[in-house]
Amino acid sequence: MSQVVLIVILCTVLAVRADFPDDPKPCKYGDSKCIVKLINELISEKATRGAPDFNLMKLDPLPVPTTNVKQGEDSPVNIDLTFKDNKVHGISTMKIRKVKFRQGYDTKARNTIKCGSYIMVGPYIIKGKVLILPINGDGLSNLTLVNCDIALSFTGKPFEKNGETHMEIANLRLTTKPERLYYHFSNLYNGDKALGDNMNAFLNDNWEAIFLEVRQSMELAFAEIFRTIITSVFSKNPYAKFFEE
């Protein structure tokens, strides 16, 4: 999920050589310790306020217009789940553990993140079957990942814009490993409280088995969200401005 993820965005933003005097000193190419230090010092400020100068939106909470998780009939969790106009909270709790960053326009980055909580709330629509039970409903949902380990990697490819070289993000992959995941869906089964309470209890009792089934679909959906954010940052500034000479 979100499982936001953010690492590369902030690696980029916080290492930029900006024009205002109070901006932190940029890092040198490949200086992983410097990048980790800068991100962990400033992540909460940038995540909760955004940075228009870098084309970076406010990330905590992060608006998620539409996300779809769909599993086929061959899966024990055969669902069609759509989240619309949700918000993700908790990106500001992320801490960078490790960054690997290869210098150059053909950049390869690999990042390890720890997130205390990652919460997505908002409207949902679901139909299908979870393990042995049918499920349907539309209302408000809350998905909370606790103590989540996130791995985020991508490659970069150069492209020309206004006579300068920028970097395009490709092959972005995101994996998550939560210590615990909590589900809550309101208004299941047309508002039947007894059935809804039983299903929410069933989902939480079997959270790990369900997560393993939908994990890939959820990670793909969230990876696309963050690919868009990272691309918007890189598209505004030439690659050479992001690091110290």
Side-chain angles (χ1 to χ4, degrees), residues 77 130-131 183 202-203 206-214:
V77 182
V130 178
L131 302 181
Y183 305 92
F202 178 80
L203 295 174
N206 297 276
W207 73 269
E208 191 166 16
I210 295 168
F211 174 69
L212 290 175
E213 286 296 323
V214 301

Side-chain angles (χ1 to χ4, degrees), residues 122-140:
Y124 80 93
I125 300 174
I126 191 172
K127 61 180 178 179
K129 183 184 293 186
V130 178
L131 302 181
I132 59 173
L133 299 177
I135 184 171
N136 66 81
D138 64 274
L140 297 177

Side-chain angles (χ1 to χ4, degrees), residues 44-57:
S44 60
E45 296 178 21
K46 298 297 182 182
T48 56
R49 294 186 304 172
D53 289 342
F54 305 129
N55 220 25
L56 180 69
M57 68 174 69

